Amino acid sequence: MLSLLMLFIQFGYAQKKGYKYEYLYNDLPFSMSYIEHPVFPDNHVSLADFGGVPDGITLNTEAFASAMEALSQKGGGVLHVPKGIWYTGPIVFRSNINLHLEKGALILFSSDFNLYPLVNTVFEGLDTRRCQSPISGRNLQNIAITGKGSINGSGEAWRPLKKTKITESQWKDVVKSGGIVKDKDYWFPSESSLKGLEISDMNVPRKDLTESEWIEIKDFLRPVMVSFIECEGVLLDGVLFENSPSWNIHPLMCKNVIISNVFVRNPGYAQNGDGIDLESCVNSIIVNSVFDVGDDAICIKSGKDEDGRRRNRPTENVLIDNCKVFQGHGGFVVGSEMSGDVRNISVSNCQFLGTDVGLRFKSCRGRGGIVENIYIRDINMFDIATESFLFDLYYGGKSASEALADGDKILVDSIIPAVDETTPAFRNIYVKNIISRNARRAMFLNGLPEMKISNINVENVTITSQIGAEVAESKGVKFKNIKIIPKEGPALILKNIEDFSLSGFEYPSSLKDAIKISGKNKNIQLPDELVHKIKK
C-alpha cells in the first residue's frame, strides 16, 4: 500500500512538472488552479460519413447535426472535417466533442438569414435576443475546435458599413449589391437591419418588443460567430476564425477555457468585429494567438449595467501571453461592460502593431462593477493611433480614433454624482516593461471625480509620441523609471490627482515644460530636479 501511495505521489508530481502551461504560473501574483485540456473518447467519425459534400455548394447543416448526434450517442469523440469547402447553416455542439478541421478544410457559413432563428442570449452584456450563432453550445462539458483549417462566418452579408471606412470603389460595389443607404454614407443589408438600428441603444433593442416586432428587425440582430454559454472545458486550438457577423469568439459564463494558436481575423471596417470577448468566465488561458480585427481584439467583459450586476458573474483568473494584435480598436481591453467585476488578469509578452489603443480600460457611469488586480508586463507597441495606455471612464460607444476624428471632448462635470452601485471602480493595476514607438499620445489615465482610478502602478516604460502623458482624476498613481519623448508640449500633465509619486523620469531636454500641473491636487511627489521644469 505504501509503495502504491508513493507511486501515485510521484505520478502526480511528474504530471505537475510536465504541465504544458506551467510557465504562465511562475511568480503569478494571484492564486489560480491549473487548466487542463479537455479529453475526448477514442471515437472518430468523418463528416463525409454522414452525407457531407465539400463542394462549396451543398448545404451540410444536416450532415453536421447527424455527425454530432452520432458521436454524442457514443459518449463523444472527434468529428473530422476533411479538406474542402463545407458550406453550412448553424452548427450546434454536444458535450465531449472535438470538431477537428484537417489541413485544407474550410467551414463556410451560409448568408441565408432564414437559417438562423432568433434565440435568447446575451449581447454587449445585456439579456436580449439575437439570431442563432453559426457555432453555438450551452451547458456543455469538454468541447473543442482544433486543427489547421478555417472557419468563415460570411459576415459581409450581415454587417452594416460606413462609407468613410472603405474605398470609393468598395462603396460602389456594396451599394450596387442591394440593401439600403442611410444619409448617403451608411449602408445596411436590408430595411429590417436599418429599422433595428433605429430602435436600439448600442446595438441592443432597449424596450420590450412583441414577437412580430422582433421579426421585423431580425436582420439587424447579427450573431456572434462562436457562442459557448455556461460550458466547462473549452479548447480552441490552431484554427483560423474570420469574417464574423459581429463578435468573433464569445465564451460567456464558461469555466476552464483555453485559446491557443488561433488566428482571429476581420476586416478593419467590420462593425463590432471584436476578436475574442471573454465574458463572466472563470479560469482562462489565451496564448500564442494572432488578432487582426475591426474592433477590440482581446477583450474582458462581465455584463452591462443592471443586467450585469444582477448576474453577478465576474471574469477572473485569466492568463494572456505571447499574442500579437494588428488592427483593432484596442490590443488588450477591459470593458466597457464590466458590471459583474473583473479581477486577477495577467497579460505578458504581447505585441500591439498598429492598433487604435494599446492597453484600453473603458467604462462609464451607470455600469457599476469593480476592475482590480490586473498585471501587465513586457508589452511592445508600434504605430498606436491614439494612446498607448488609456483609461476612458466617459466611454460613449466610439472607438478612440473615431472620438478623436469627431473632435469629442470630455465634458467638465458641473455636478458630481454620489457614489452608488452604478459607479464603476478601477484599482490595483500594475503595468511594467512597456515600449511604445510612435503613438499619438503616450498615456491618458482619466478617472471619475467621484471615483478616481486608484493604485495604478506604471514602471519601466519608454514611449515616443506626438504628445506626452496625462494623468487626471486619479489617486495613488506611482510612476517609476518612465521615459516619455513627445514631439510637442509637456511630457507629463497632472490634473486633479491625489497621492501621486514619480521617480526616475526622462524627457527631452529641449522641452520648455517637462510637467504641467493644474486643478485641485494633493500630495504630489516629484524628483527635486523637476521642480524648476513645472508649468502651473
Side-chain angles (χ1 to χ4, degrees):
M1 288 291 292
L2 183 61
S3 297
L4 281 173
L5 179 61
M6 291 300 297
L7 204 62
F8 279 124
I9 291 172
Q10 291 172 1
F11 178 68
Y13 178 74
Q15 273 194 319
K16 184 176 179 180
K17 290 294 287 185
Y19 176 58
K20 181 176 181 179
Y21 301 111
E22 186 172 5
Y23 68 97
L24 297 175
Y25 291 77
N26 293 336
D27 302 319
L28 193 65
F30 51 85
S31 178
M32 177 175 169
S33 60
Y34 281 1
I35 309 173
E36 300 290 350
H37 278 218
V39 177
F40 303 95
D42 190 22
N43 299 316
H44 296 260
V45 300
S46 171
L47 191 60
D49 297 335
F50 296 86
V53 181
D55 60 2
I57 300 172
T58 303
L59 194 67
N60 289 286
T61 313
E62 290 302 322
F64 275 105
S66 297
M68 286 279 182
E69 172 65 21
L71 265 182
S72 181
Q73 292 296 326
K74 294 179 180 181
V78 181
L79 170 53
H80 291 270
V81 182
K83 65 181 179 180
I85 300 179
W86 300 89
Y87 183 62
T88 184
I91 298 171
V92 180
F93 256 78
R94 303 290 188 94
S95 290
N96 301 311
I97 290 180
N98 176 6
L99 180 65
H100 184 79
L101 284 72
E102 297 176 1
K103 186 185 296 185
L106 167 63
I107 297 176
L108 175 63
F109 286 98
S110 170
S111 59
D112 181 358
F113 296 176
N114 294 321
L115 297 176
Y116 304 86
L118 289 175
V119 296
N120 294 323
T121 187
V122 173
F123 185 65
E124 295 201 342
L126 297 172
D127 298 329
T128 186
R129 299 179 76 187
R130 309 291 290 182
C131 291
Q132 182 176 339
S133 290
I135 296 176
S136 65
R138 189 185 289 258
N139 298 313
L140 305 178
Q141 293 79 42
N142 297 325
I143 55 176
I145 303 174
T146 64
K148 298 182 179 180
S150 304
I151 298 174
N152 187 304
S154 293
E156 74 285 347
W158 294 86
R159 296 187 300 260
L161 190 60
K162 294 179 179 178
K163 184 178 181 180
T164 54
K165 292 193 172 185
I166 56 176
T167 66
E168 186 65 30
S169 61
Q170 286 175 315
W171 177 254
K172 289 179 179 178
D173 288 341
V174 168
V175 173
K176 191 183 300 181
S177 69
I180 186 169
V181 176
K182 173 181 167 62
D183 299 330
K184 298 182 179 181
D185 61 359
Y186 201 178
W187 177 85
F188 290 81
S190 66
E191 289 193 21
S192 171
S193 180
L194 174 57
K195 185 172 183 178
L197 175 76
E198 293 172 341
I199 67 168
S200 297
D201 178 11
M202 297 282 288
N203 299 306
V204 178
R206 299 298 294 270
K207 64 178 184 178
D208 293 333
L209 301 179
T210 66
E211 185 65 23
S212 62
E213 287 173 327
W214 279 110
I215 296 300
E216 285 180 15
I217 64 167
K218 182 174 179 289
D219 294 1
F220 174 75
L221 304 173
R222 296 176 284 141
V224 303
M225 188 163 77
V226 180
S227 172
F228 291 137
I229 302 176
E230 295 200 274
C231 297
E232 182 171 353
V234 177
L235 172 65
L236 305 182
D237 190 348
V239 175
L240 165 67
F241 298 85
E242 69 169 352
N243 200 18
S244 54
S246 62
W247 296 351
N248 207 309
I249 300 169
H250 185 207
L252 171 65
M253 296 182 288
C254 292
K255 183 177 181 181
N256 298 342
V257 177
I258 298 177
I259 313 292
S260 177
N261 295 300
V262 299
F263 183 12
V264 182
R265 178 175 175 267
N266 270 326
Y269 52 76
Q271 270 191 228
N272 314 111
D274 294 25
I276 179 169
D277 292 271
L278 194 70
E279 182 171 0
S280 297
C281 292
V282 177
N283 297 340
S284 303
I285 290 174
I286 304 173
V287 292
N288 308 325
S289 296
V290 177
F291 299 84
D292 191 3
V293 296
D295 207 313
D296 292 326
I298 305 169
C299 195
I300 309 299
K301 299 178 181 291
S302 66
K304 182 176 180 180
D305 299 348
E306 184 180 353
D307 284 1
R309 295 193 299 272
R310 181 176 61 252
R311 185 197 305 160
N312 193 28
R313 299 277 291 267
T315 290
E316 57 186 333
N317 299 345
V318 181
L319 309 180
I320 301 168
D321 183 76
N322 191 34
C323 291
K324 295 179 178 65
V325 178
F326 292 96
Q327 62 186 355
H329 291 175
F332 168 73
V333 183
V334 177
S336 69
E337 304 95 297
M338 37 63 70
S339 304
D341 299 344
V342 171
R343 56 178 172 258
N344 298 350
I345 314 291
S346 172
V347 184
S348 57
N349 303 306
C350 292
Q351 298 176 3
F352 306 145
L353 309 169
T355 57
D356 281 8
V357 181
L359 304 169
R360 186 185 191 194
F361 294 79
K362 56 179 177 173
S363 188
C364 64
R365 291 177 175 126
R367 294 283 190 268
I370 300 171
V371 173
E372 61 184 347
N373 305 339
I374 313 296
Y375 303 86
I376 301 170
R377 63 177 175 84
D378 301 316
I379 309 295
N380 294 318
M381 314 182 206
F382 178 61
D383 275 353
I384 303 300
T386 60
E387 287 84 12
S388 302
F389 183 14
L390 172 66
F391 278 90
D392 179 6
L393 274 296
Y394 292 85
Y395 177 68
K398 296 181 181 179
S399 71
S401 288
E402 288 171 333
L404 178 64
D406 292 343
D408 293 354
K409 303 292 183 182
I410 294 177
L411 299 177
V412 177
D413 295 301
S414 57
I415 299 177
I416 299 176
V419 173
D420 60 21
E421 67 173 3
T422 72
T423 308
F426 289 74
R427 65 195 185 199
N428 305 339
I429 295 170
Y430 304 84
V431 178
K432 67 179 182 179
N433 304 339
I434 306 296
I435 298 175
S436 177
R437 179 179 174 87
N438 198 28
R440 178 187 174 271
R441 176 159 49 179
M443 294 183 274
F444 185 33
L445 280 57
N446 186 41
L448 296 169
E450 70 273 20
M451 181 63 76
K452 298 178 184 294
I453 56 175
S454 64
N455 193 24
I456 313 299
N457 302 268
V458 184
E459 181 179 357
N460 299 339
V461 170
T462 299
I463 303 176
T464 66
S465 56
Q466 187 68 31
I467 56 179
E470 181 173 346
V471 182
E473 304 296 352
S474 306
K475 182 177 182 179
V477 174
K478 300 177 181 67
F479 277 11
K480 181 179 180 181
N481 298 334
I482 306 296
K483 185 176 184 179
I484 298 176
I485 306 176
K487 292 183 178 179
E488 59 185 72
L492 180 60
I493 297 173
L494 305 176
K495 184 177 181 180
N496 297 336
I497 60 174
E498 300 178 31
D499 304 328
F500 174 84
S501 69
L502 174 65
S503 62
F505 185 53
E506 294 185 51
Y507 56 92
S509 58
S510 58
L511 290 181
K512 180 181 178 181
D513 301 300
I515 299 179
K516 179 181 178 180
I517 301 177
S518 63
K520 297 180 180 180
N521 304 286
K522 181 181 179 181
N523 189 25
I524 296 178
Q525 300 177 29
L526 302 175
D528 292 339
E529 64 268 20
L530 287 176
V531 173
H532 69 286
K533 298 286 285 186
I534 296 174
K535 179 181 180 181
K536 294 186 178 180

